[in-house]
Amino acid sequence: MSNISVIGTGYVGLVTGACLADLGNQVTCIDIAVDKIERLQNGILPIYEPGLEEVVERNVSAGRLRFTASYCGVLDACEFIFIAVNTPMGENEGGADMRYVESAARSIAQELDHDAIIINKSTVPVGSGDLVSRVIQTYLKKPDVHFAVVSNPEFLREGTAVYDFLHPDRIVLGSSDLQEANAVARLYLPLRAPIMITDIYTAEMIKYASNAFLATKISFINEIAQICEHLGADVKEVAAGMGYDKRIGRAFLDAGLGYGGSCLPKDVRALAHMAHEAGLHPQLLHTVMDINHDQRRRIVDKLTDILGSLQDRTIAVLGLAFKPNTDDMRDAPAIDIIHWITSLGATVRVYDPIATQTGYQALEHAGAAMASVIFCQTPYEAAENADALVVVTEWNEFKTLRMAQLSSTMRHPLLIDGRNMYEAADVSLHGFIYHGMGRGTDPATVTLSAIKTGKLTATTVGEGAFALP
Ligand code: NAD
């Protein structure tokens, strides 16, 4: 059992604190957001994360987990201090904003009166371990205190954060001292995950490279989706066919509206910024970001291609959160999409099972024409008299919608499936005209027309692939 402090009670800090307490440690979570701490002290979670409430409750009741808004006296007897504060996109051309990490480091230094290991879980630019060390050294209240900084990037996903923390693919530790890295590694031994110990710069880079690779996979399949759409292939099947190849893997090959959320967009940008600072030109990263931006725009293009002007139209939007099982609206595609639709004169009716409150705040913050955004209690209410239904987040409950009821209440039964949740053949039985992302159209029709126009010869079609009408 170890004494641990976790600084920051957001998605990463709260999950880290609660799970480390669940492993038998004594954990204090600190956050400067007093309202968050008051809610936690009253047993209310400030975020929606499946399974987290139970873990928090269990460990608070067992006396292993507590919350405070003050650093005062909290670090006493703590051997390990985790930094899990936010590192949002900065205003400096996308570089990470390090002010929260610096402030946490300063607060640690002003309180620390004994030897301790500071573990950085926030996603930080390469070299930030040195920065944290410098800040702590500068403000240390007792100069003879020995401290070490270990990098320990976090790979959990919102929506499955508790599971991911407890079942990680790997633990990465960056340290200049093997003994200190081993001390941190012991905290994770109960998880029985591979533990990789490397230097701090490399550990920091592993996080950015991992997120950039995932973003690249998403932009890659979205580019393929666009090509599929024009050639009549179905990207969902293409991804399935590719995914069987172990060298490729099926994960992160879902074509749709691109990546969003609090991590991938800012991390790809921050990595590109780091490369620029080093005098490099990270072409691939720029292309990944460009494709991702265009992908959101494609929804609006589809709407205008089919409906013409959006002036005085009503568009129903299903889903606000950047992905299912979270209330997180940071850089959610819904913000841009709703903003663009409303600025073209349409009224938007939205429904999200969880993120209505955060969605409201995010849209207000983004300056969307809020007056024309109507928040609905059910998907059916959102669809009433709509000219189109746009699926933005693939919540599970959207898989079992009563499609005939939905389409019957709409002015035009047009379904733009931004997440490829449905099959054209199924939903058309319920009266919908379906448009997915990269789903082509009926392959026989497309191919026949391609043959007729001379774009495709009969020999290239492939014998027996499908019957031509
Ligand atoms: P978050 O915004 O949800 O939470 C950060 C918390 O830190 C906030 O509650 C904030 O009030 C608090 N904070 C800020 N400065 C503080 C200070 N000086 N002292 C005490 N508390 C302070 O952020 P998050 O999503 O948990 O992300 C945290 C870090 O982990 C980021 O660097 C992020 O990139 C990284 N990360 C996030 C995820 C994810 O899925 N959210 C996954 C892996 C890594």
Side-chain angles (χ1 to χ4, degrees), residues 6-14 30-34 36 47 69 71 83-88 99-105 107 120-124 153-159 161 207-208 211 262-263 266-267 322-323 328 330:
V6 179
I7 300 178
T9 59
Y11 293 88
V12 169
L14 189 52
I30 311 167
D31 203 299
I32 46 168
V34 178
K36 264 192 187 180
I47 52 169
Y71 282 79
I83 298 179
V85 300
N86 37 332
T87 48
R99 82 182 100 151
Y100 305 99
V101 173
E102 287 187 44
S103 149
S107 303
N120 191 16
K121 244 190 191 317
S122 295
T123 303
V124 289
E154 180 53 59
F155 299 95
L156 62 75
R157 297 159 298 175
E158 288 174 26
K207 175 64 189 175
Y208 280 106
N211 272 2
S262 66
C263 290
K266 80 168 171 70
D267 292 349
F322 85 93
K323 66 173 183 177
D328 200 345
R330 288 177 282 186

Side-chain angles (χ1 to χ4, degrees), residues 97-146:
D97 182 345
M98 289 293 287
R99 82 182 100 151
Y100 305 99
V101 173
E102 287 187 44
S103 149
R106 208 164 38 242
S107 303
I108 293 169
Q110 286 161 349
E111 283 296 319
L112 200 62
D113 61 2
H114 60 282
D115 296 355
I117 299 181
I118 318 316
I119 304 151
N120 191 16
K121 244 190 191 317
S122 295
T123 303
V124 289
V126 176
S128 297
D130 296 345
L131 171 76
V132 170
S133 292
R134 272 199 311 276
V135 173
I136 297 181
Q137 196 62 59
T138 307
Y139 292 95
L140 210 51
K141 79 169 177 185
K142 276 190 156 187
D144 56 335
V145 159
H146 173 77

